[in-house]
Amino acid sequence: MKPVDLFEGSAAVKPGCDTAMAHWSGAIRVLILGLAALVFLYIADVRTMVHTWWTVGTYAHGLVVYPVSAWLIWRKRDVLATQVPRPFLPAAALLAALSVLWLLGDLSNTQTLREFAFVASVPVLAWAVLGNTVARTLLFPLAMTLFAWPVGEFFVPTMIDYTADFTVAALRLSGVPVYREGNFFVIPTGNWSVVEGCSGIRYLIASVYGGAIFAYLNFRDWRRRLPFMAAAIIVPIFANWVRAYMIVMLGHLSDNRIATGVDHIIYGWFFFGIVILALFWVGSRFSDAQDSVHRPLMAAYAPPAGTPALLAATAIALVLAAIGPAVAFGIERVAPVHTGPVALQPPATDGNWTAIDSRISNWEPRIETPVASHAATYSSSSDSVGMLTAYYRAQEVNGKMLTYGSTALGDFSVRGWRTLDRSIATTHMNGGTLDVIERRVVSEGQNLITWQWYWTGRRNTVGFWEAKLAEMQGMLGGFGDDAATVVLHAAYAEDPEAARAILRRFVAEMGPAIQKSLEDAARR
């Protein structure tokens, strides 16, 4: 099919539209060329996104986002046949802003910012090349391409908490006694936990994407679209709560013969399918899609833009989109990221603490793909502290220290252990203060207090975005992307303050040696 064939056979195309149609062939070719160049410019991020769509079920919808948007554009062919594509160069300024955002993501190793920059650049490039009139006509199909952005993990911890709150409350209302610790709870027939797969994020994303398309196709009045979209957000969240409660009740009432294995996932998707079908059926009863059908009219005449003008506009847009990658390339040439091996030495012990062979417990933090690590147990009198140091270098290639999987979701992923609470504590080191992430974790017969902090950009941090900012400053300062995380843990019997006192003493006495170990590794 040739680009000009896009509008052939349209009942709305009249002789007066011939001038507009004559220019669509060149505009489509130029836009395709521009999009191909954009993909090439961000090819590494495109590959990462496609891999995410293919391997992570939560974002599998990304595989159909662009085909669905293309179909929605095709449905507008009658209207487009009456319009003349004309470049709108001010929109290209947004490509420059998105390119700078990509650069910030690159310097801070924040993949989600890089991916958003690419995903948002696609509709903006179409706007810059085709102009305001066409962009208004295609506003919804272009906006729907933003769903290709694989994002949403940061909602998971909150959704886990709310799901656990509802499930426990519903069980108690049903007369089932419940003992709860964090997101783990015990009922007379067994132990249950609300984990990442129970958060409902998959249901929510699928419902919002499908609901947006349904509302666009079935409603013309925003007074109907907005309530339906609100329902597409609220219903799957509430449905996931009910699903979690039903799964636990099925297990409880069947003495754990059903809904305790893979079948509970099947029941969950079956229940979700029924809920979504019911939502769409109710929405269809209020459809007004046929109430306002208008024949497309010829747009007011505007001087057409020839192919050379379209090519020039596309070239300008792509040059602006390339600002971020070009600056990143220049920074890498001036201050290249260290890629050599890491020589991470254990911190030197003083007269108070000595390394021993035994372990305090079998607990291990969720640490992803460090290039070097060191784990040891240190003893002083009757006190013992477990320490793990994980070091990262050339993070884009070797894996990253800071991901939502290892930070926001880390509390929910240590097998056999329950995280009761998480907070920020303050202690003293090297004559100053040190903030740490404190977790209280328990298992059968074991209670631990864990402290963790990040070392990036040559300074200590605890916040995710604070650490990302420090990493970016380190890159700009010529330090490279070397980073590390330090995790300490100590046991207690009944009073967690006893473990905190041990950790405070350890940090005060061993902290300088830990810092020196990290700084020495960074210099080699």
Side-chain angles (χ1 to χ4, degrees), residues 355-392:
I356 60 176
D357 293 333
S358 62
R359 297 181 58 181
I360 295 176
S361 73
N362 63 353
W363 178 83
E364 292 181 353
R366 178 171 174 171
I367 301 295
E368 299 179 350
T369 59
V371 296
S373 63
H374 168 70
T377 301
Y378 294 87
S379 176
S380 175
S381 300
S382 60
D383 298 336
S384 296
V385 172
M387 184 180 79
L388 170 66
T389 304
Y391 201 96
Y392 294 81

Side-chain angles (χ1 to χ4, degrees), residues 77 82 95 118 218 271 303:
R77 61 191 182 278
T82 68
L95 289 172
F118 167 75
N218 287 274
F271 176 72

Side-chain angles (χ1 to χ4, degrees), residues 154-239:
F154 57 88
F155 289 120
V156 171
T158 300
M159 296 179 71
I160 287 176
D161 289 337
Y162 286 143
T163 302
D165 291 342
F166 179 90
T167 304
V168 170
L171 287 170
R172 288 171 176 163
L173 286 175
S174 302
V176 179
V178 184
Y179 172 72
R180 179 180 178 181
E181 287 185 335
N183 296 303
F184 299 81
F185 48 91
V186 181
I187 61 177
T189 54
N191 302 329
W192 295 82
S193 63
V194 180
V195 294
E196 181 181 353
C198 307
S199 66
I201 187 67
R202 295 184 182 185
Y203 303 151
L204 179 60
I205 293 176
S207 176
V208 172
Y209 181 63
I213 295 174
F214 181 91
Y216 174 72
L217 296 176
N218 287 274
F219 303 122
R220 294 291 177 265
D221 189 342
W222 283 101
R223 289 173 296 181
R224 300 189 186 190
R225 281 181 177 172
L226 292 180
F228 184 85
M229 284 306 304
I233 296 172
I234 296 171
V235 167
I237 294 176
F238 184 75

